[in-house]
Amino acid sequence: MLRRRFGAVGAAVIIALAAASAPAAAAEHDSARAGDSGSDVASSGTDERAADLVADMTTTEQAASIVMGHIPTTDAATLHAYMQQGLGGFILMGANIPATDEELPTLTAALTVDPALPPLVAIDQEGGLVSRLGGDGFPASNSLKSLPVSDSSAAFSARAALVAKAGISVNFGTVADVTSESSSFIFGRALGTDPQSAAERVAVATVAQEQVVASTLKHFPGHGAAPGDSHHAIPTTGETLDEWRATDAVPFAAGVDAGASLLMFGHLTYASVDPAPASLSARWHEIAREELGFDGVIVTDDLGMLQSSGVPEYADPVANAVSAVVAGTDLVLMIAGSTPDTAGQIVQGLVAAVDAGTIPADRLTEAATRVMSLRLQSMSAPADWALCPECEPAD
């Protein structure tokens, strides 16, 4: 995985360069992943340091480190106080975006309590239908799916630079779902209308972003096959595992092979595989790890969405968080319905589950170590960017 936070360079220069140089950067990235033993050594060292840091943590500290919280405010002092719980991450939503672009880096900086170990700061910056940041006029999925693959590389390279400039280290921005049904709510956000075209665009979008931010594939195992909107229900499909492998799995496999840092599990039920939503399914976590070979951070989609489904079994976000971690999730995300107390309640619930033996202690340690490793990688040296006078931002 090549991922670097870029240095203090003018935004216009960075974005123009990113848009124009993405194909070359992608090739360079692929080469590094294929044969750069130095990268492997560095990754190994980061993992070892992460394990050492987590080993020195209490159970409560480990539990807090795998919670990505959210409160809707732009007040820097309030955000700083909130993060003093020791949370491993924070997701920025629309209510966290200040009035001017100049204010945003100050706000994201306030999320760091310990400068030696910043949290993961995430955002949904897909472009187009789902955009939190201003200034993202780059092509998005609604047009990229019908443009050459190189356009996806350029657009997501530019988008990643915009995200990183704001002090954000994780982009939940790559939709790896695939559908040809224009009536599907995910159609306008998907990068392709068939598995292969989606896979090609997901792969280059992943490579482009991983140069500067940690990219995420969502919504595993795939929203396209399951009709309905998981913000308000639990979409269900009867697609078999073999059918999934030949269709919906293809873009996710391509993104994993391209080096995506995170894999977001959707609240989707593939009834023939497991009656539980994938986000709470040990079987789907096993498939992601063993069949796709994903070794990065698995994150839930917003646990508040499970609560919003109205299914009584999923009415308790703390219980949902515990079930997700037991199933194999590394990072639990809570947005909808979250209050300043919710993250702390989830932390307490995770600790209680470890004490009761519901969550094995080594499962919590494994999750905390993966998240810690990603936090350390996100602190790595800045990328070297150079002015490209001929470059123009994407239209």
Side-chain angles (χ1 to χ4, degrees):
M1 235 177 283
L2 284 182
R3 187 167 56 261
R4 309 179 188 89
R5 298 176 64 187
F6 65 82
V9 184
V13 173
I14 293 174
I15 293 172
L17 172 62
S21 65
E28 177 184 334
H29 182 81
D30 285 338
S31 174
R33 284 184 53 80
D36 187 348
S37 60
S39 295
D40 294 337
V41 171
S43 177
S44 176
T46 300
D47 291 344
E48 290 177 5
R49 185 179 171 212
D52 289 342
L53 289 171
V54 170
D56 288 337
M57 288 179 166
T58 65
T59 301
T60 300
E61 289 170 336
Q62 289 186 8
S65 77
I66 69 165
V67 174
M68 177 169 276
H70 170 75
I71 51 173
T73 180
T74 56
D75 184 78
T78 301
L79 289 169
H80 189 78
Y82 176 77
M83 293 303 290
Q84 287 178 335
Q85 301 175 83
L87 303 181
F90 186 92
I91 181 168
L92 298 169
M93 301 296 288
N96 301 117
I97 307 303
T100 67
D101 293 343
E102 291 74 22
E103 295 174 86
L104 186 53
T106 300
L107 183 143
T108 54
L111 296 167
T112 294
V113 174
D114 178 4
L117 189 60
L120 297 174
V121 180
I123 197 166
D124 289 306
Q125 190 63 29
E126 300 171 13
L129 294 174
V130 178
S131 290
R132 312 291 184 216
L133 299 177
D136 187 346
F138 308 109
S141 54
N142 54 351
S143 61
L144 289 172
K145 66 182 66 180
S146 60
L147 295 173
V149 173
S150 59
D151 285 42
S152 291
S153 179
F156 276 93
S157 185
R159 188 162 289 125
L162 184 70
V163 168
K165 173 183 175 289
I168 300 166
S169 54
V170 175
N171 189 17
F172 294 148
T174 311
V175 175
D177 308 300
V178 56
T179 181
S180 60
E181 298 293 331
S182 59
S183 60
S184 170
F185 100 99
I186 205 68
F187 178 82
R189 297 164 59 191
L191 284 166
T193 56
D194 65 85
Q196 187 56 41
S197 68
E200 292 170 352
R201 288 162 179 79
V202 165
V204 299
T206 298
V207 170
Q209 291 174 89
E210 286 286 331
Q211 306 299 313
V212 288
V213 297
S215 71
T216 309
L217 307 171
K218 63 183 185 184
H219 309 79
F220 186 82
H223 231 308
D229 185 343
S230 58
H231 291 87
H232 313 293
I234 300 176
T236 301
T237 178
E239 184 173 275
T240 68
L241 189 56
D242 283 341
E243 290 171 332
W244 173 80
R245 289 175 177 133
T247 55
D248 295 89
V250 177
F252 286 99
V256 169
D257 288 346
S261 295
L262 299 98
L263 180 62
M264 178 179 282
F265 272 48
H267 306 309
L268 317 169
T269 296
Y270 280 62
S272 69
V273 180
D274 192 330
S279 53
L280 309 181
S281 165
R283 178 67 179 120
W284 277 112
H285 284 75
E286 176 185 53
I287 291 168
R289 296 293 188 199
E290 297 186 4
E291 290 199 23
L292 268 63
F294 181 69
D295 61 2
V297 171
I298 289 178
V299 58
T300 66
D301 203 345
D302 173 17
L303 291 175
M305 293 161 59
L306 274 177
Q307 192 176 12
S308 299
S309 71
V311 178
E313 185 179 355
Y314 307 124
D316 182 358
V318 175
N320 294 336
V322 170
S323 296
V325 174
V326 170
T329 288
D330 303 310
L331 184 63
V332 294
L333 171 66
M334 180 74 186
I335 307 170
S338 183
T339 73
D341 299 323
T342 305
Q345 292 165 353
I346 290 175
V347 171
Q348 293 169 11
L350 294 173
V351 172
V354 172
D355 291 342
T358 305
I359 298 177
D362 58 356
R363 169 80 271 272
L364 177 61
T365 298
E366 175 186 54
T369 302
R370 284 203 185 100
V371 173
M372 180 63 72
S373 183
L374 183 56
R375 290 170 70 180
L376 293 174
Q377 290 172 28
S378 295
M379 293 169 57
S380 59
D384 292 325
W385 297 86
L387 177 62
C388 176
E390 298 82 13
C391 298
E392 292 286 345
D395 294 325

